[in-house]
């Protein structure tokens, strides 16, 4: 364990390292190895020492100059998917340079490697596929998953992001092509949270797809069959989870991502007591939204328990957020969570969730079936309940209509509107719609990014309420403390740390989140708060506890600067 922690302290140093590739006689494979390749940045001495003479043109370049050139090239592309492909190629050619670009230009590049462009990339993954990234585990590998894990070149894995592709963002079932999501999420683990790339493993579990279009697509990269369900599905996942623990131990974090509702809740409940697991869509989204709501109180007034919340969408994000808000109110007011839940209402595709609908309701919706007469849709629910906060987690775009936002604005001086569904096409409303229809009074944040909007001579800057603020720092906190279980209190700790990072300057612009440009600093704060909670709860195994956890988190973070080779 000590050695992996030392490996993590991968900061800036003059220490010489050995580029550990197989080649000795020729440097050719060094140039082809993304972990060690530096392109024109190999020094004269390194070119001599590693048999690179003649394999590179005579010029040498600094990493800065390479960065300048690449950013210039990427900006030439008009089509976001082309930028995505250029960045993927860079990641596979020169990993450190890829992360240097991502870290230094996070606000510009996040919409490419992440939502919304990553969504389009998944839809077209088969046709843009060049080299595989991540690990594919399909029904064909049943009974051999441990062997498959051993085929992965890295042995000391700290974070796995796994999807089965059934609910990719708000785009639905993309089957095996969901791989873009774990790959993108883990790129953020490194760039935003500082977990070293070699410790990150993207996994896609392919049990088939029900997406007819993909099944017919000649370029589809997955199994051409309908999704396995029931016992067959559960057994494959069980084999995977057991193999992961056997191969990587108790402290590897498994982040479930973009599973369909029924599986997401079941997997989290099933493995939450035996493994270190985290569901980003349920728990990560909950922590980021709670942070935004708590921060927004500065602008909209009152305490959390003074507000009434209405959700459109009662899936992973909706019920996850609702539960965390109820838990936070309960902790702050000493009122049992069964009571605090009553401040929160959810609308699904069948209307308001009320007690008379309880019988056929799925388990995860049942806590939200409060006493009320039936209400058929969102607009009527807004009018009947008069919420102060409206949250969209439906995966369905354009559902916060003009009527809905006007109704909400008729009884709220400053309505808080969060349109969380991704990518941009699925956002419940645009930033412009929220500001225009509320006549500039809404406090607005969205899951996918929107540009600032000018309304009535004033510029409004929407915040991005995306779990990307939370999961990288959250995971780092688990890794540096050697945590073996996730607890809800750690989510609250992460959320509190994020809310604490919003400055007066941000509030003045109407922002309820800090800018992503500070994300590494924010991640260190989140990691420290999460680690502190892990120690407090007795689930941390890295003993002794470092005194200053923020400093420790920062010291563990991966640096993308080139190393010098001996
Ligand atoms: O990936 C994102 O942008 C946020 C997320 O987890 C989702 O929408 O499923
Ligand atoms: Mg997700």
């Amino acid at each position: 364990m000590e050695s992996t922690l030392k490996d993590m302290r991968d900061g800036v140093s003059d220490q010489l390292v050995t580029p550990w590739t197989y080649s000795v006689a020729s440097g050719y494979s060094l140039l082809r190895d993304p972990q060690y390749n530096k392109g024109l940045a190999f020094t004269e001495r390194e070119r001599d020492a590693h048999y690179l003479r003649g394999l590179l043109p005579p010029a040498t370049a600094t990493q800065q100059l390479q960065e300048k050139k690449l950013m210039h090239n990427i900006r030439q592309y008009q089509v976001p998917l082309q930028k995505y492909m250029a960045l993927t190629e860079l990641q596979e050619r020169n990993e450190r340079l890829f992360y240097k670009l991502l870290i230094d230009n996070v606000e510009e590049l996040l919409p490419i490697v992440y939502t919304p462009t990553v969504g389009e990339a998944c839809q077209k993954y088969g046709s843009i596929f060049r080299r595989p990234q991540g690990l594919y585990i399909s029904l064909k590998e049943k009974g051999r998953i441990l062997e498959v894990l051993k085929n992965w070149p890295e042995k000391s894995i700290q974070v796995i992001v796994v999807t089965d592709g059934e609910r990719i963002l708000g785009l639905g079932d993309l089957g095996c092509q969901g791989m873009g999501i774990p790959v993108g999420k883990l790129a953020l683990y490194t760039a935003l949270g500082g977990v070293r790339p070699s410790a990150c493993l993207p996994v896609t579990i392919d049990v088939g797809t029900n997406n007819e279009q993909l099944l017919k697509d000649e370029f589809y990269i997955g199994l051409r069959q309908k999704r396995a369900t029931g016992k067959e599905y559960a057994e494959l996942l069980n084999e995977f989870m057991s193999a992961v623990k056997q191969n990587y131990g108790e402290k590897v974090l498994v982040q479930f991502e973009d599973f369909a509702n029924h599986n997401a809740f079941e997997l989290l409940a099933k493995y939450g007591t035996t493994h270190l697991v985290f569901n980003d869509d349920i728990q990560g989204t909950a922590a980021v939204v709670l942070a935004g709501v708590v921060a927004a109180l500065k602008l909209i007034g009152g305490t959390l328990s003074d507000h009434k919340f209405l959700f459109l969408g009662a899936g992973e994000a909706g019920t996850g957020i609702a539960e965390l808000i109820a838990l936070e109110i309960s902790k702050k007011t000493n009122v049992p969570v069964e009571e605090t839940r009553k401040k929160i209402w959810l609308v699904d595709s069948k209307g308001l969730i009320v007690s008379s609908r309880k019988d056929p309701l799925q388990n995860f919706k049942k806590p939200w079936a409060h006493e009320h007469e039936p209400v058929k849709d969102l607009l009527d629910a807004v009018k009947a309940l008069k919420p102060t906060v409206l949250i969209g987690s439906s995966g369905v775009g354009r559902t916060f209509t003009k009527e809905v936002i006007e109704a909400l604005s008729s009884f709220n001086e400053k309505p808080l509107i969060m349109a969380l569904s991704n990518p941009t096409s699925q956002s419940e409303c645009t930033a412009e719609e929220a500001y225009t229809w509320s006549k500039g009074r809404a406090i607005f944040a969205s899951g996918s990014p929107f540009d600032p909007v000018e309304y009535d001579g004033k510029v409004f800057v929407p915040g991005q309420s995306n779990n990307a603020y939370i999961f990288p720092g959250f995971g780092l906190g688990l890794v540096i403390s050697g945590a073996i279980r996730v607890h809800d209190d750690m989510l609250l700790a992460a959320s509190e740390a994020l809310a604490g990072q919003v400055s007066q300057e941000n509030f003045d612009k109407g922002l309820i989140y800090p800018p992503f440009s500070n994300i590494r600093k924010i991640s260190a704060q989140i990691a420290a708060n999460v680690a502190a909670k892990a120690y407090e709860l007795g689930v941390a195994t890295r003993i002794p506890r470092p005194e200053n956890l923020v400093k420790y988190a920062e010291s563990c973070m991966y640096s993308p600067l080139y190393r010098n080779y001996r």
Side-chain angles (χ1 to χ4, degrees), residues 278 283-284 287-288 291 466-475 494-495 498 526:
F278 168 68
Q283 300 173 302
V288 80
N466 190 295
N467 49 31
Y469 274 111
I470 289 286
F471 70 79
F474 190 81
S495 185
L498 175 57
I526 294 174

Side-chain angles (χ1 to χ4, degrees), residues 114-115 167 169 185 257-258 280-281 422 466-467:
Y114 197 59
T115 185
R167 197 234 72 210
L169 309 178
K185 292 271 174 185
E257 191 72 51
D258 291 7
D280 189 33
D281 303 298
N422 299 314
N466 190 295
N467 49 31

